[in-house]
Amino acid sequence: MRVRMNISYNGRDFSGFQYQHDYRTVQGTIEKQLKRMHKMPTRIHGASRTDAGVHALDQYIHFDTTIDLPGDKWAFIFNRAMPDDIYIKDVDIVDDDFHSRYHAKGKTYRYKIYTGAKNPFYKGLVTHVPDQLDISKIKEAAKDFVGVHDFTTFSSAKAEIKNKVREIKQVDIIKTEAGLDIVITGTGFLYNMVRIIVAYLLEVGRGLRKADTLNMIAQKDRTIIPKTAPAEGLYLEKVWYENL
Amino acid sequence: MRVRMNISYNGRDFSGFQYQHDYRTVQGTIEKQLKRMHKMPTRIHGASRTDAGVHALDQYIHFDTTIDLPGDKWAFIFNRAMPDDIYIKDVDIVDDDFHSRYHAKGKTYRYKIYTGAKNPFYKGLVTHVPDQLDISKIKEAAKDFVGVHDFTTFSSAKAEIKNKVREIKQVDIIKTEAGLDIVITGTGFLYNMVRIIVAYLLEVGRGLRKADTLNMIAQKDRTIIPKTAPAEGLYLEKVWYENL
């Protein structure tokens, strides 16, 4: 049978989601517990392969098992075994054709920024931008991301995928007590796309660039936005499925 | 001249305040920057030698220097050089006889606890107690700590100091959104004293022990409270000086 887990994790002490030999990863940590239970390797699949330092408030994984347990038992057993920085929110037994990645219709990412004096307790959790930010300018630049675009300008040169057309459904710029959250929902994202969009929006907010999003997109040239915002402020906030 | 710095730090990634060769410590990090500026070793003294994993919202250090700079310049230079988890809040030039440790009249520590489901983002910052806590029982046990007592029962067996009499001025049990803060102010604390007091109060709150503080103190026996609460929830909240 197939098991789907809804999990959250603090990415600060993980070398990302994806398994890497000799590194502490989310996949590796969960698969280690599955191996303990199955006495054999069990592979998991995640909706998003978050990078090193990136957090998840709402990630989904699935795996196949011969162990017949109800969802809440899986959650109980896992939460006792998991380290402090992974939490199993919910577990369901799902149809055998469910796939956490292929069935995801979209994802929402939140990028957390704080401004002003440094706060040591935000280390690894919120990105520090000492400068004052012009929020109206950031909003002006952000709205033009919405729509179907070729996002070559806003994807890592390392992205090997050919088709760089994606749809962004919504971008919200939210003033918080500490600074600013940038919340982006799309049908899919290219490698580093959110962090490059954020790097661009922060340069606009700091007055280092004008709001010129459609022109940037049209140029399809990654070199015109060389920066990538740090991983620490990025949260996978929601994965959208048809029936969830 | 003598310089006093008021600093805060996130203890999560430090092996404590005190210098240790080959370990990342708060003292080592600050002294490295001082060495860079003075081209020779410069020793700092802290009000409290916080343990590995313990945080500081309001720690004081002092050192002697031949570099003639106003306080705000020291703060500016240091904050540019310090890592993400140390922040220099304020710097003053003080009298040559000021001593951050010997002149401290008292200290306030805050211990942060959260209850209920695990929150991965509290890792290293707030201690998790899954059980429900009986706050009225904790308050009942806490109030009897106030006063002048021999705290042998509540100090680490490793404490080498002979005189274990200390005065606790105030203990507050504060309900928070996440759980509970325990705030203790005293004229001085023995090694691990706050964390042993918290371990005892949590056992009372979980119904594993009755509130019997005065009897515990009277026994002067460390073995009757063998636990020490984890470092991650502990914050040095304030150092009290006569003229501050």
Side-chain angles (χ1 to χ4, degrees):
Chain A
M1 69 192 69
R2 189 155 285 189
V3 174
R4 179 182 66 207
M5 287 185 169
N6 181 209
I7 69 174
S8 71
Y9 49 83
N10 180 340
R12 200 176 183 297
D13 298 334
F14 289 107
S15 300
F17 178 84
Q18 197 166 15
Y19 179 83
Q20 291 179 69
H21 194 62
D22 288 341
Y23 287 91
R24 185 174 187 261
T25 65
V26 176
Q27 183 176 2
T29 304
I30 292 172
E31 288 183 352
K32 198 168 144 191
Q33 170 61 14
L34 287 172
K35 192 175 179 185
R36 214 177 281 141
M37 294 173 72
H38 294 85
K39 321 282 177 209
M40 58 180 285
T42 300
R43 170 63 43 89
I44 68 166
H45 300 269
S48 170
R49 281 170 288 196
T50 54
D51 267 344
V54 175
H55 315 288
L57 299 166
D58 192 65
Q59 163 81 293
Y60 284 88
I61 61 154
H62 78 265
F63 57 88
D64 291 322
T65 181
T66 51
I67 300 177
D68 187 8
L69 283 174
D72 57 349
K73 256 290 198 268
W74 278 107
F76 179 79
I77 291 169
F78 258 76
N79 277 325
R80 286 209 314 188
M82 286 296 101
D84 278 2
D85 41 6
I86 298 184
Y87 178 60
I88 312 296
K89 296 163 70 178
D90 198 25
V91 182
D92 284 301
I93 312 302
V94 291
D95 290 345
D96 278 355
D97 66 351
F98 170 83
H99 196 289
S100 53
R101 184 155 66 255
Y102 303 143
H103 288 188
K105 300 294 177 204
K107 287 174 198 127
T108 299
Y109 285 95
R110 179 179 294 260
Y111 197 94
K112 296 189 187 186
I113 294 147
Y114 76 101
T115 53
K118 185 165 59 177
N119 181 336
F121 300 98
Y122 284 153
K123 181 185 174 186
L125 298 174
V126 189
T127 295
H128 187 213
V129 178
D131 318 76
Q132 280 305 305
L133 295 171
D134 184 334
I135 293 194
S136 64
K137 282 262 180 289
I138 294 178
K139 283 187 176 169
E140 188 191 330
K143 70 170 171 25
D144 286 341
F145 281 109
V146 176
V148 178
H149 301 289
D150 181 315
F151 282 98
T152 302
T153 303
F154 295 92
S155 79
S156 166
K158 277 185 251 164
E160 279 166 19
I161 202 158
K162 270 255 169 84
N163 178 1
K164 295 191 174 165
V165 175
R166 294 292 183 276
E167 182 179 7
I168 289 191
K169 293 277 193 184
Q170 195 170 336
V171 183
D172 290 308
I173 307 299
I174 300 164
K175 234 181 128 19
T176 62
E177 212 177 312
L180 194 71
D181 283 5
I182 298 173
V183 185
I184 306 183
T185 299
T187 54
F189 292 90
L190 300 163
Y191 188 55
N192 276 352
M193 182 169 146
V194 176
R195 289 164 59 187
I196 296 167
I197 288 174
V198 169
Y200 160 74
L201 291 176
L202 288 177
E203 290 193 341
V204 169
R206 292 164 68 202
L208 303 175
R209 253 182 212 284
K210 59 183 171 127
D212 194 20
T213 306
L214 289 176
N215 177 34
M216 292 285 155
I217 290 172
Q219 289 188 55
K220 296 183 196 170
D221 178 0
R222 163 61 173 142
T223 63
I224 57 176
I225 300 162
K227 292 205 176 163
T228 303
E232 61 183 345
L234 185 58
Y235 293 72
L236 173 61
E237 173 152 291
K238 193 162 174 58
V239 183
W240 300 90
Y241 295 101
E242 208 132 35
N243 332 316
L244 282 178
Chain B
M1 67 193 69
R2 188 157 284 190
V3 174
R4 179 182 66 204
M5 289 185 167
N6 180 209
I7 69 174
S8 70
Y9 49 83
N10 181 339
R12 201 177 182 297
D13 298 334
F14 288 107
S15 300
F17 177 84
Q18 197 165 14
Y19 179 83
Q20 291 179 69
H21 194 62
D22 287 342
Y23 288 90
R24 185 173 187 264
T25 64
V26 175
Q27 182 177 3
T29 304
I30 291 171
E31 288 183 351
K32 198 168 143 191
Q33 170 62 15
L34 287 174
K35 191 174 178 187
R36 214 177 282 140
M37 293 173 74
H38 294 85
K39 319 284 177 211
M40 60 181 284
T42 300
R43 171 62 44 89
I44 67 166
H45 299 269
S48 170
R49 281 170 288 197
T50 55
D51 267 344
V54 175
H55 315 288
L57 300 166
D58 191 65
Q59 163 80 291
Y60 284 87
I61 61 153
H62 78 264
F63 56 88
D64 291 321
T65 182
T66 51
I67 300 178
D68 186 9
L69 282 174
D72 56 349
K73 258 288 198 264
W74 277 107
F76 179 80
I77 291 169
F78 258 76
N79 276 325
R80 286 210 313 188
M82 286 296 101
D84 278 2
D85 40 7
I86 298 183
Y87 178 59
I88 312 296
K89 295 164 70 180
D90 199 24
V91 183
D92 283 300
I93 312 301
V94 289
D95 290 344
D96 278 355
D97 67 350
F98 170 82
H99 196 289
S100 54
R101 185 156 63 256
Y102 303 145
H103 289 188
K105 300 294 179 203
K107 287 173 197 128
T108 299
Y109 285 95
R110 178 178 296 259
Y111 197 94
K112 296 189 187 184
I113 294 147
Y114 77 101
T115 54
K118 185 166 58 179
N119 181 336
F121 300 99
Y122 284 153
K123 182 185 174 186
L125 298 174
V126 190
T127 295
H128 186 212
V129 178
D131 318 77
Q132 280 304 306
L133 296 171
D134 183 334
I135 293 194
S136 65
K137 283 263 180 288
I138 294 178
K139 283 187 175 170
E140 189 190 329
K143 69 171 170 24
D144 286 341
F145 282 109
V146 176
V148 179
H149 301 288
D150 181 315
F151 283 99
T152 301
T153 303
F154 294 92
S155 79
S156 167
K158 276 184 253 163
E160 279 166 20
I161 203 158
K162 269 255 170 84
N163 179 1
K164 295 192 175 164
V165 175
R166 294 292 183 277
E167 182 179 8
I168 290 192
K169 293 276 193 185
Q170 195 171 336
V171 184
D172 290 309
I173 308 299
I174 301 164
K175 235 182 128 19
T176 62
E177 212 176 313
L180 194 71
D181 283 6
I182 298 172
V183 185
I184 306 182
T185 298
T187 53
F189 292 91
L190 299 163
Y191 188 54
N192 276 352
M193 182 168 146
V194 176
R195 290 164 59 186
I196 298 167
I197 289 174
V198 169
Y200 160 74
L201 291 176
L202 289 177
E203 291 193 342
V204 170
R206 293 164 68 202
L208 304 176
R209 248 182 216 285
K210 60 184 170 125
D212 195 20
T213 305
L214 290 177
N215 177 34
M216 291 286 154
I217 290 172
Q219 289 189 54
K220 297 183 196 168
D221 178 1
R222 162 64 174 139
T223 64
I224 58 176
I225 299 162
K227 293 207 175 161
T228 303
E232 62 184 342
L234 185 58
Y235 293 72
L236 173 61
E237 174 153 290
K238 194 161 173 59
V239 182
W240 300 90
Y241 293 101
E242 208 135 33
N243 330 317
L244 284 178

